[in-house]
Amino acid sequence: MQGARATPQLFATNCGLLYIYHALQCPMEALHGRQSLLHNVVAGGTLGAFGVQAGRLGIPFLDSSFFWRYPSISPAMAAFAVYGGLAGVLGGVLGGKSL
């Protein structure tokens, strides 16, 4: 949605995705008893994969020719890797979390 017009629906979608992202991390932290960078990666990757499957999100840093060159990689798999990687970088750099 890069370059999309700022609308109340877009704002609500972004708020909802942030809420779900944090809601996915809480049970993992409660089960393991500590914060971990892997929780960020799994939560971000899962959210990205479901968003791409639903047609609500795009995959940043990839163009459509990527899927022609690598037909065995589905858009959901690529979304999990990209969004999980982004969440991992942000969790490690800004959150100071370790594995």
Side-chain angles (χ1 to χ4, degrees):
M1 292 195 210
Q2 183 177 359
R5 296 181 66 119
T7 62
Q9 181 183 6
L10 182 61
F11 180 74
T13 300
N14 286 331
C15 289
L17 289 174
L18 281 172
Y19 177 81
I20 293 169
Y21 171 72
H22 289 289
L24 287 172
Q25 286 184 38
C26 287
M28 290 186 270
E29 290 176 1
L31 287 173
H32 292 111
R34 64 182 185 89
Q35 292 184 343
S36 173
L37 187 61
L38 294 176
H39 299 151
N40 289 60
V41 172
V42 171
T46 302
L47 194 59
F50 280 123
V52 167
Q53 283 292 101
R56 303 283 294 167
L57 298 174
I59 305 172
F61 312 119
L62 290 182
D63 59 351
S64 58
S65 68
F66 175 84
F67 298 107
W68 286 98
R69 289 184 301 218
Y70 305 102
S72 62
I73 297 177
S74 70
M77 291 167 59
F80 186 92
V82 170
Y83 282 98
L86 288 170
V89 167
L90 290 176
V93 173
L94 297 179
K97 293 182 179 180
S98 63
L99 290 177

